[in-house]
Amino acid sequence: MTPEFNPHEILGVTHDVGPAELKRAFRRLAMRWHPDRNDHPEATERFKAIRAAYDHLAAVDDEETPEFEAPDDSPTEPARKAPDIRLNLDLTLEEAAAGCTRQVDYSRGKLCETCEGSGESGMAKTRFCGACHGSGRVRNGKRGLASCQECRGRGFFTERICPDCSGSGRKTTQVSLQIAVPPGMLAGDELRLAGQGEVGDETLADGDFYLTVVLRYHALFRLEGRDLHVEMPASALALLAGGEIELPLLGGWFCHVLTPGQAMPRLLRLEGRGYPGRGKLPPGDLIVRLMPVFPSKLNARQRKLLLQANQALMDDLTYSLPEIAQWQQAFGQWNAQN
């Protein structure tokens, strides 16, 4: 190797370059300076220098790599990968509770097939150097002329910008995925699809795709942790007499037997009947607040039955309606004294 031959400088890589990054740098420069693709007068010599630099560094890398290596117990760095993609997944409470399948459409980048990610393809184009206005020289501090460092004295740049990706090396593609949402996911939970993020290259693994669950507002149910809260009207007569009542669930009803009591608001806590569990997390409870409602209108049959029930209550006031019994007793005593 001659003193002027600097393979790292020719390929534009550091001295600790890895095999994958070295190969990528070679491919990028080789595509730019290949004589079949570049009509610049220096293209042939430049391509030979690039080829020689790559062959030299590749050979050195092979010599320095031992055939067997002792295991390294030191902590390993996480694998480098392309950027992740993150989106929100909007679900109803019913969909999140029971699980569902959703189609998700999104955009992600990919390597341009035309230039294989290099950003260079097609016919070479020449543009003048803006620093020296095409002259190849600029004024120095002593009012003299010096070779332009931007274009190395050539006065122009030769570019081969890929027409399909505008030189970026990447294009955008639309992706459509069928996502299986497991039951019992809560707001803020994430679904991870490995390798479905931004597309990597020879040095970067594909990124991941993350979906963050967002739960829509529900008109009836309120979720606290995994407990489901709901308020519903209930017949005051049912609260008084007890018996079966239908209580709501996400997606249906179930029967519950009320114990007789007063016609007052009542709180029911039904263990395990709330939002479903997930993994080792148990299901929540269903918490129902019953609000008593008295009849506002009666037909003839209902009025007759209620009058019969009322008469049965009046027959045993002391037991059924003690407040009325006490008032009648007090009134009787006052009447006797007057």
Side-chain angles (χ1 to χ4, degrees):
M1 183 174 67
T2 62
E4 296 79 11
F5 182 75
N6 188 330
H8 294 92
E9 182 178 347
I10 292 173
L11 295 177
V13 296
T14 61
H15 286 266
D16 59 350
V17 63
E21 189 176 352
L22 176 65
K23 185 176 181 181
R24 186 183 178 204
F26 166 71
R27 286 178 55 191
R28 182 178 66 253
L29 292 174
M31 291 181 67
R32 177 185 299 174
W33 290 102
H34 196 285
D36 293 341
R37 297 188 175 191
N38 195 328
D39 57 359
H40 194 278
E42 300 178 6
T44 301
E45 294 302 318
R46 185 69 175 169
F47 179 77
K48 289 180 180 179
I50 293 168
R51 176 84 256 184
Y54 174 73
D55 290 343
H56 175 79
L57 292 181
V60 171
D61 185 68
D62 290 341
E63 292 175 1
E64 293 179 351
T65 302
E67 184 175 358
F68 297 101
E69 295 184 1
D72 186 2
D73 295 332
S74 60
T76 58
E77 295 185 0
R80 297 178 60 206
K81 60 188 183 78
D84 299 327
I85 296 176
R86 294 179 178 272
L87 294 176
N88 288 338
L89 182 62
D90 189 55
L91 299 175
T92 66
L93 205 56
E94 289 82 358
E95 288 173 332
C100 62
T101 301
R102 294 285 297 273
Q103 177 174 312
V104 178
D105 300 315
Y106 65 101
S107 301
R108 70 171 181 168
K110 67 174 182 177
L111 293 180
C112 175
E113 298 90 346
T114 304
C115 63
E116 297 182 346
S118 69
E120 299 179 348
S121 180
M123 298 294 292
K125 296 181 180 180
T126 300
R127 66 176 176 87
F128 286 107
C129 174
C132 64
H133 304 288
S135 68
R137 295 185 177 187
V138 293
R139 293 187 178 277
N140 58 18
K142 299 178 180 180
R143 296 186 179 181
L145 293 177
S147 178
C148 178
Q149 298 299 313
E150 293 292 327
C151 63
R152 297 184 180 181
R154 293 162 56 189
F156 64 92
F157 297 97
T158 301
E159 300 174 335
R160 297 175 56 254
I161 298 176
C162 175
D164 289 344
C165 65
S166 301
S168 68
R170 301 180 73 83
K171 297 176 70 175
T172 300
T173 183
Q174 298 297 316
V175 180
S176 182
L177 297 177
Q178 291 291 327
I179 308 296
V181 181
M185 296 198 75
L186 295 173
D189 286 350
E190 287 187 335
L191 288 171
R192 172 178 171 267
L193 284 78
Q196 295 296 328
E198 294 293 351
V199 177
D201 52 28
E202 294 177 352
T203 62
L204 298 176
D206 291 346
D208 298 331
F209 181 47
Y210 289 89
L211 285 170
T212 302
V213 172
V214 176
L215 295 180
R216 297 178 194 167
Y217 168 79
H218 201 285
L220 297 179
F221 290 98
R222 177 170 50 87
L223 188 62
E224 291 186 5
R226 292 188 180 271
D227 292 339
L228 271 179
H229 293 253
V230 62
E231 183 176 296
M232 63 173 288
S235 169
L237 301 179
L239 292 172
L240 284 169
E244 287 190 351
I245 185 175
E246 285 192 327
L247 298 180
L249 291 173
L250 283 173
W253 299 84
F254 75 100
C255 287
H256 176 74
V257 178
L258 288 174
T259 56
Q262 294 181 325
M264 298 176 60
R266 187 182 303 185
L267 197 65
L268 303 178
R269 188 179 194 102
L270 305 166
E271 187 176 354
R273 287 281 195 168
Y275 199 75
R278 182 164 177 254
K280 296 182 179 180
L281 298 174
D285 298 339
L286 176 65
I287 301 172
V288 184
R289 183 173 180 83
L290 299 176
M291 303 300 294
V293 177
F294 290 86
S296 57
K297 293 182 180 181
L298 297 173
N299 58 32
R301 175 176 172 273
Q302 292 168 342
R303 182 172 180 275
K304 180 180 179 180
L305 291 174
L306 277 180
L307 286 173
Q308 292 175 354
N310 183 66
Q311 186 58 52
L313 296 174
M314 297 297 289
D315 290 342
D316 194 355
L317 282 179
T318 303
Y319 178 78
S320 301
L321 301 169
E323 292 86 351
I324 295 178
Q326 291 171 6
W327 188 92
Q328 288 183 352
Q329 183 180 2
F331 180 77
Q333 292 175 352
W334 176 84
N335 193 41
Q337 292 173 0
N338 294 280

